[in-house]
């Protein structure tokens, strides 16, 4: 009994111990579970905190990136280049038809009567016009209502309609040439929100984002509405993107349609709305939206699209034009009105219907507007870089003066010297002229290339510059970079060098056009020949230049001295001095078309030289001058010597190598110039001038092979076509006080009676040696019979080039003067 009781007690103790162990185990397990849970919770908290930190950092970085990109969006492309104002003045040779073409090209609209800015009307021989307000350089020019009357010779009068007061000059607003953006694939024109027409804003918001003013960047109502509409139609007919989301897509994202990109777009839109107010976002959208592609350039913003499609700024468009622009947002390529006019018309009318449905226009107004045709211009009038060669010159000159296309902030405007009418005329003349020559001579199309430079004679402003037969070609710029031999274009410089010794040389001085040769130091012989293969005996100096006789020109150049000649050439081109070789006398000197135009500039303006400039100044968006092109004037040729050279170059047109092509046109306008042809007919040149323009034309091949063209048969024909399209001023002959006139036989160079059939009046500098009197048709005197005898000088010079001279040079040869 006692034993059993002990066993029972022991058993109870064992059970109690087991229960205690189990209880302890449960407590330990519970503690372990709690610890694990605490550790897991801790790691979860740490992980969440880390993720939130990473996400917060990423969000902060993203927010910073969005803000920075928004504030600095493509400001480098906001450096725009503008042309000079188009000038009309009383007496300008501009006909009514030409004036209408100019206005249409500038985006003016022809109406029955002109009441609004940008309108004009025509009645009989009068043109009523309401000009646009515009700025040029740092000046602001107000809008004017004017009446222009035309006669047979051009503009008869320009008067203000309000007061009948005559205007000396009428200025039309400049057009945009292009931009100096570092990103050459984009272009845009910035409008501030207060410059955007209210009616356009209403159309834009009604079509693209009716709840723009109230949503935070993403509009759930619009998304739901678009989803329902798309489900009903079975296809995507509406989008739920807000204007903010569309701006995000233009500024930050690509156009792929994925869920990830749409989520990113929504997040960006929310952040954008958090940092910027509605006006800033709307203004950015108006300037950033892509609408038109011109070549390889994307045009952004409604202002540039308006000017490209309609040739007019946004504030001059009508409601149906606004409907077309806004309608294009959905698919700019598919609704481009020039490529797809039918689709564009349907889209515009859809937008008009939407405006009527929202009560912005009446049903009657919708019907009237929908019945109108699209009023886009026939070709892209603005936007892109249509005048690439000229813009290249502006870019170089701006860069040379410490500026570039990369502007830190703000909008800059470069006010150029380009005349848009003359630029288009030059581009047309070159393209058509080269095609005409190729067709006439059976050449393969696009065999020939060319370049044209047009300068304003009075100040050296570059009015037009063409470097390729394609006006928008932005590659090799032949007007600036094609260094080609200039041939006979240098003969006037030889004559000028001679005239600077007036006691020895005049227009009538006899020059020997007989054969000769010179042995050079290397043993070669130099024997110039004439292009006609003939020698012409003794001829007056004037005839040498007019008929472009090489042999006589070479003799004259040797007489005056090659050293003085190349120095004089350098002084006129303001460039480096070419090597003093005999071949330089016949144009074996390489120059660009721009340098050639600069060479002839003082011949046209009385002897003055200017730095050729393609821009006047640079201003910021507050019209403050931020840079200028300095204007300096230098006397390069004495007026009396220049007058003699001018007489020579007029003779080229009236009696010489250019007379057959220019005919009465050249004589009637007092034109002057010189043909140039190089060896094997590789280069065809003509450079000449009127009272107001200096124009250089080059025609050749890029591979430097023969064109078969002389200066007269190639470049001169293009020069003529261009000059016939320009408003030429009267090229008056106002001789300096020390010029006197004598009647001279153009064959012999002797003074003869006015009754002589080959006689003409020639200018002479007072005190220079006048020709002796002779009979009409008498043989010209031998040059060696002149005072001093040029033969003596020539013989000495020939000995120089043969390396065989030992005697001291005559003093007059050492100085290059006789």
């Amino acid at each position: 009994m006692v034993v059993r009781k002990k066993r029972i007690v022991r058993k109870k103790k064992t059970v109690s111990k087991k229960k205690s162990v189990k209880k302890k185990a449960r407590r330990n397990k519970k503690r372990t579970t709690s610890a694990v849970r605490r550790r897991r919770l801790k790691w979860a908290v740490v992980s969440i905190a880390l993720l939130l930190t990473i996400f917060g950092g990423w969000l902060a970085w993203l927010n910073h990136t969005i803000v920075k990109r928004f504030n600095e969006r493509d400001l480098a492309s906001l450096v725009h280049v503008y042309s000079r104002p188009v000038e009309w003045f009383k007496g300008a040779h501009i006909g009514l038809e030409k004036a209408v073409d100019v206005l249409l090209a500038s985006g003016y609209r022809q109406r029955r009567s002109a009441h609004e800015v940008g309108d004009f009307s025509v009645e009989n021989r009068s043109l009523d016009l309401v000009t646009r307000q515009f700025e040029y350089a740092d000046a602001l020019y107000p809008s004017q209502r004017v009446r222009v009357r035309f006669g047979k010779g051009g503009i008869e009068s320009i008067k203000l309609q309000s007061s009948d007061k005559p205007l000396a000059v009428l200025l039309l607003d400049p057009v945009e040439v292009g931009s100096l953006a570092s990103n050459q694939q984009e272009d845009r024109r910035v409008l501030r929100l207060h410059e955007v027409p209210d009616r356009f804003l209403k159309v834009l918001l009604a079509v693209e984002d009716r709840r723009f003013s109230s949503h935070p960047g993403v509009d759930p109502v619009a998304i739901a509405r678009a989803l329902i509409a798309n489900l009903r139609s079975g296809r995507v007919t509406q989008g739920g993107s807000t204007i903010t989301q569309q701006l995000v897509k233009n500024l930050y994202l690509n156009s792929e349609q994925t869920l990830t990109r749409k989520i990113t777009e929504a997040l960006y839109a929310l952040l954008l709305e958090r940092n910027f107010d509605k006006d800033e976002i709307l203004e950015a959208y108006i300037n950033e939206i892509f609408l038109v592609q011109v070549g390889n350039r994307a045009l952004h913003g409604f202002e540039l699209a308006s000017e490209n499609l309609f040739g007019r700024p946004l504030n001059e468009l009508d409601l149906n034009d606004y409907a077309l622009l806004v309608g294009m947002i959905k698919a700019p390529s598919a609704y481009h009105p020039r490529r797809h006019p039918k689709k564009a018309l349907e889209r515009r009318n859809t937008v008009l219907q939407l405006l009527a449905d929202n009560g912005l226009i009446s049903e009657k107004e919708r019907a009237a507007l929908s019945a109108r045709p699209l009023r886009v211009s026939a070709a892209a009038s603005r936007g892109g870089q249509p005048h690439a060669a000229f813009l290249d010159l502006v870019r170089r000159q701006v860069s040379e003066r410490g500026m570039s296309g990369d502007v830190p902030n703000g909008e800059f405007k470069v006010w150029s010297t380009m005349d848009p009418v003359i630029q288009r005329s030059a581009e047309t003349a070159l393209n058509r002229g080269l095609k005409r020559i190729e067709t006439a001579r059976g050449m393969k199309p696009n065999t020939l290339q060319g370049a044209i430079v047009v300068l304003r004679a009075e100040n050296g402003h570059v009015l037009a510059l063409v470097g390729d037969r394609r006006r928008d070609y932005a590659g090799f710029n032949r007007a600036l970079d094609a260094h080609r031999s200039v041939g006979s274009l240098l003969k006037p410089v030889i004559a000028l060098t001679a005239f600077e010794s007036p006691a020895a040389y005049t227009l009538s001085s006899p020059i020997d056009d007989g054969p000769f040769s010179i042995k050079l130091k290397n043993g070669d012989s130099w024997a110039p020949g004439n292009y006609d293969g003939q020698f012409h005996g003794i001829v007056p100096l004037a005839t040498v230049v007019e008929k472009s006789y090489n042999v006589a020109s070479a003799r004259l150049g040797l007489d005056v001295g090659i050293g003085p000649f190349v120095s004089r050439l350098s002084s006129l081109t303001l460039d480096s001095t070419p090597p003093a070789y005999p071949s330089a006398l016949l144009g074996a000197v390489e120059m660009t078309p721009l340098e050639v135009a600069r060479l002839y500039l003082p011949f046209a303006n009385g002897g003055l030289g200017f730095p050729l400039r393609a821009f006047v100044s640079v201003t910021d968006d507050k019209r403050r001058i931020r840079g200028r092109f300095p204007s300096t004037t230098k006397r390069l040729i004495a007026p009396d010597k220049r007058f003699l050279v001018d007489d020579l170059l007029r003779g080229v047109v009236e009696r010489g190598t250019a007379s057959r092509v220019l005919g009465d046109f050249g004589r009637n306008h007092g034109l002057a110039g010189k043909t140039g042809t190089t060896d094997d007919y590789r280069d065809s040149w003509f450079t000449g001038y009127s009272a107001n323009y200096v124009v250089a034309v080059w025609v050749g091949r890029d591979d430097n092979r023969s064109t078969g063209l002389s200066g007269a048969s190639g470049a001169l024909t293009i020069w003529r076509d261009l000059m016939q399209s320009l408003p030429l001023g009267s090229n008056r002959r106002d001789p300096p006080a020390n010029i006197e006139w004598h009647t001279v036989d153009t064959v012999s160079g002797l003074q003869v009676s006015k009754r002589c059939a080959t006689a003409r009046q020639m200018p002479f500098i007072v005190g220079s040696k006048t020709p002796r009197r002779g009979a009409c048709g008498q043989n010209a005197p031998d040059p060696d019979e002149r005072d001093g005898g040029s033969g003596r000088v020539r013989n000495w010079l020939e000995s120089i080039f043969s390396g065989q001279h030992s005697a001291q040079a005559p003093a007059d040869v050492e100085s290059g003067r006789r």
Side-chain angles (χ1 to χ4, degrees):
M1 191 72 173
V2 174
V3 173
R4 186 171 180 171
K5 192 173 183 179
K6 286 182 179 179
R7 286 177 180 170
I8 291 171
V9 171
R10 193 179 296 121
K11 188 176 182 179
K12 285 183 179 178
K13 286 182 178 179
T14 301
V15 171
S16 176
K17 189 176 182 179
K18 285 181 179 180
K19 286 183 178 179
S20 177
V21 170
K22 286 182 180 180
K23 193 173 182 180
K24 187 176 181 180
R26 282 197 298 271
R27 284 199 302 269
N28 290 337
K29 185 177 180 181
K30 191 173 182 181
R31 289 195 196 100
T32 302
T33 302
S34 295
V36 169
R37 285 176 179 173
R38 284 195 298 273
R39 284 196 299 271
R40 286 177 179 176
L41 180 61
K42 180 180 178 181
W43 279 111
V45 170
V46 170
S47 298
I48 292 172
L50 182 62
L51 287 174
L52 287 174
T53 301
I54 293 173
F55 179 75
W58 174 78
L59 201 62
W61 171 84
L62 182 62
N63 190 70
H64 171 75
T65 302
I66 289 173
V67 171
K68 182 179 179 182
R69 176 71 182 89
F70 185 89
N71 286 329
E72 298 179 356
R73 57 192 184 280
D74 290 318
L75 290 178
S77 66
L78 304 185
V79 184
H80 290 277
V81 181
Y82 291 85
S83 73
R84 62 178 289 115
V86 175
E87 293 183 359
W88 288 355
F89 52 90
K90 180 181 178 180
H93 298 287
I94 303 173
L96 177 58
E97 291 183 2
K98 178 71 173 179
V100 169
D101 290 342
V102 169
L103 291 174
L104 292 175
S106 298
Y108 283 80
R109 182 171 295 172
Q110 187 168 0
R111 305 276 200 179
R112 290 184 179 180
S113 59
H115 296 294
E116 298 180 0
V117 170
D119 289 347
F120 73 94
S121 62
V122 176
E123 184 177 356
N124 297 326
R125 303 300 300 174
S126 293
L127 185 151
D128 288 351
L129 170 67
V130 185
T131 66
R132 299 186 180 106
Q133 175 177 290
F134 67 90
E135 60 177 300
Y136 182 72
D138 57 344
L140 185 65
Y141 297 83
S143 172
Q144 299 182 101
R145 295 177 179 271
V146 297
R147 175 164 295 163
V148 185
R149 295 188 183 277
F150 296 84
K152 292 182 179 180
I155 295 178
E156 287 186 346
S157 67
I158 305 174
K159 295 182 178 180
L160 292 173
Q161 291 187 33
S162 58
S163 62
D164 214 33
K165 177 184 176 181
L167 290 178
V169 178
L170 173 64
L171 300 179
L172 302 179
D173 47 303
V175 300
E176 185 179 356
V177 179
S179 69
L180 301 186
S182 57
N183 182 359
Q184 294 300 308
Q185 279 69 52
E186 291 187 4
D187 204 358
R188 55 183 45 75
R189 179 82 58 77
V190 172
L191 281 181
R192 302 307 174 194
L193 195 59
H194 69 271
E195 299 174 315
V196 181
D198 289 339
R199 203 171 194 191
F200 173 79
L201 290 176
K202 291 179 180 178
V203 174
L204 176 64
L205 295 176
V207 175
E208 292 299 312
D209 196 346
R210 277 178 272 174
R211 288 166 42 83
F212 174 72
S213 61
S214 59
H215 65 65
V218 178
D219 187 359
V221 175
I223 294 173
R225 184 175 59 245
L227 180 62
I228 293 171
N230 295 337
L231 289 173
R232 286 177 177 174
S233 63
R235 58 189 179 90
V236 178
T237 59
Q238 289 186 24
S241 294
T242 64
I243 278 179
T244 312
Q245 288 174 276
Q246 293 181 49
L247 178 60
V248 164
K249 184 169 64 175
N250 272 271
L251 283 179
Y252 307 102
L253 306 175
N254 57 39
S255 58
E256 66 174 339
Q257 295 293 327
T258 63
L259 179 61
T260 302
R261 198 203 66 80
K262 293 298 289 183
I263 293 173
T264 305
E265 177 187 290
L267 177 60
Y268 275 44
L270 292 170
L271 290 174
L272 201 61
E273 292 259 2
R274 177 181 176 275
N275 287 282
F276 300 98
D277 62 39
K278 293 288 185 178
D279 284 353
E280 291 176 296
I281 292 171
L282 184 58
E283 181 180 289
Y285 177 81
I286 287 168
N287 292 307
E288 290 295 330
I289 189 70
F290 166 73
L291 289 169
V292 180
Q293 185 79 23
V294 178
N296 67 338
R297 297 181 63 77
L299 306 189
H300 290 258
F302 288 103
E303 178 73 353
L304 202 53
S306 172
E307 295 184 356
N308 178 271
L309 296 174
F310 300 99
R312 300 163 68 86
L314 190 67
N315 62 6
E316 292 183 16
L317 299 187
D318 294 335
L319 183 62
N320 54 339
D321 302 326
Y322 293 156
L324 175 60
L325 285 175
V326 173
M328 289 177 64
I329 296 172
K330 183 178 181 181
S333 180
Y335 297 126
H336 193 292
R338 293 196 191 97
R339 301 191 196 104
H340 309 289
K342 186 176 180 180
K343 284 186 177 181
L345 183 65
E346 292 175 352
R347 178 60 181 162
R348 184 203 68 180
N349 291 346
T350 298
V351 171
L352 290 173
Q353 183 63 61
L354 182 61
L355 297 180
D357 294 343
N358 284 275
L360 292 180
I361 59 175
S362 66
E363 182 60 29
K364 182 179 180 180
E365 189 176 5
R366 182 209 62 79
L369 292 173
S370 297
R372 294 181 183 178
L374 297 177
R375 299 191 300 180
V376 295
S377 56
S381 57
R382 302 189 195 181
Q385 312 283 37
H387 312 299
F390 184 91
L391 196 64
D392 183 25
L393 177 60
V394 174
R395 182 179 290 107
R396 297 188 195 192
Q397 291 194 350
V398 168
S399 179
E400 287 170 1
R401 280 147 189 85
M403 301 184 66
S404 71
D406 297 316
V407 177
N409 53 67
E411 183 176 9
F412 283 63
K413 296 179 180 180
V414 178
W415 302 103
S416 82
T417 59
M418 189 191 90
D419 185 308
V421 178
I422 295 177
Q423 178 71 31
R424 286 192 293 268
S425 296
E427 292 163 351
T428 300
L430 182 63
N431 185 271
R432 290 180 179 175
L434 294 180
K435 286 181 179 178
R436 181 186 63 239
I437 294 170
E438 289 169 346
T439 300
R441 292 179 173 263
M443 295 180 179
K444 184 180 178 180
N446 299 314
T447 296
L448 300 176
Q449 266 295 353
I452 296 178
V453 177
V454 183
L455 306 180
R456 183 178 284 275
E458 65 192 41
N459 55 22
H461 287 190
V462 183
L463 301 179
L465 188 136
V466 187
D468 189 277
R469 62 192 297 165
R470 296 164 293 175
R471 70 173 191 155
D472 58 350
Y473 179 68
F476 183 60
N477 191 340
R478 294 164 188 81
L480 305 182
D481 300 322
H483 295 266
R484 309 290 294 223
S485 294
V486 295
S488 297
L489 293 183
L490 300 187
K491 286 183 172 69
V493 182
I494 300 175
L496 171 64
T497 312
F499 293 150
E500 290 174 334
S501 298
Y505 295 100
T506 67
L507 290 172
S508 67
S509 295
I511 309 295
D512 185 1
D513 193 52
F516 75 94
S517 66
I518 295 176
K519 286 187 178 179
L520 306 177
K521 289 181 179 180
N522 62 4
D524 294 339
S525 293
W526 185 66
N530 292 320
Y531 279 106
D532 61 4
Q534 304 293 318
F535 296 99
H536 307 91
I538 309 302
V539 293
L541 189 154
T543 303
V544 172
V545 177
E546 291 171 5
K547 301 296 185 181
S548 203
Y549 292 156
N550 286 341
V551 179
S553 292
R555 284 189 186 277
L556 178 62
L558 292 175
D559 280 358
V560 301
I562 299 179
F565 159 71
V566 295
S567 294
R568 198 66 179 99
L569 176 61
S570 179
S571 72
L572 294 173
T573 60
L574 307 177
D575 215 334
S576 59
T577 303
Y581 299 137
S583 57
L585 297 169
L586 299 184
V589 176
E590 292 187 345
M591 299 174 69
T592 67
L594 185 68
E595 290 171 335
V596 168
R598 183 174 61 188
L599 170 64
Y600 273 67
L601 182 63
F603 297 156
N605 64 23
L608 301 178
F610 308 93
L612 304 189
R613 53 179 178 169
F615 78 95
V616 176
S617 64
V618 180
T619 61
D620 60 20
D621 53 3
K622 294 181 175 60
R623 294 203 298 275
R624 295 175 298 193
I625 296 290
R626 302 300 293 268
R628 291 185 186 274
F629 192 112
S631 179
T632 57
T633 305
K634 184 178 181 181
R635 167 67 63 183
L636 297 179
I637 309 174
D640 51 0
K641 280 74 174 182
R642 175 264 166 190
F643 191 80
L644 297 186
V645 175
D646 178 67
D647 190 83
L648 285 176
L649 297 178
R650 288 173 185 259
V652 172
V653 171
E654 295 176 5
R655 296 171 297 277
T657 55
S659 59
R660 180 175 296 180
V661 175
L662 295 180
D664 289 339
F665 168 70
R667 287 186 287 273
N668 292 341
H669 289 86
L671 301 180
K674 185 70 186 73
T675 53
T677 311
T678 59
D679 289 345
D680 299 324
Y681 297 94
R682 290 189 178 96
D683 301 278
S684 171
W685 290 90
F686 190 83
T687 302
Y689 54 86
S690 64
N692 43 351
Y693 304 118
V694 177
V695 179
V697 178
W698 168 81
V699 173
R701 294 178 57 143
D702 286 339
D703 59 10
N704 205 31
R705 293 170 59 187
S706 174
T707 64
L709 299 169
S710 66
S713 62
L716 177 56
T717 62
I718 296 172
W719 190 91
R720 174 201 59 203
D721 294 348
L722 174 57
M723 296 299 279
Q724 287 176 336
S725 70
L726 302 184
L728 303 179
S730 177
N731 202 2
R732 297 173 54 191
R733 303 189 73 177
D734 297 321
N738 64 333
I739 291 292
E740 60 185 17
W741 298 85
H742 296 282
T743 304
V744 177
D745 188 345
T746 57
V747 177
S748 67
L750 301 175
Q751 284 198 66
V752 294
S753 168
K754 293 181 180 180
R755 293 190 296 273
C756 179
T758 55
R760 76 175 181 92
Q761 289 281 298
M762 280 189 185
F764 290 79
I765 298 173
V766 173
S768 63
K769 183 177 179 62
T770 58
R772 62 181 174 83
R773 291 193 172 275
C776 184
Q778 181 178 337
N779 290 334
D782 191 301
D784 290 349
E785 297 177 6
R786 291 182 298 151
D787 184 35
S790 65
R792 177 175 62 89
V793 177
R794 184 174 63 253
N795 292 335
W796 181 83
L797 284 166
E798 290 174 359
S799 71
I800 289 179
F801 289 105
S802 65
Q804 298 172 356
H805 73 287
S806 58
Q808 184 177 359
D812 53 357
V813 177
E814 287 276 17
S815 64
R817 304 176 67 87
R818 297 192 64 240

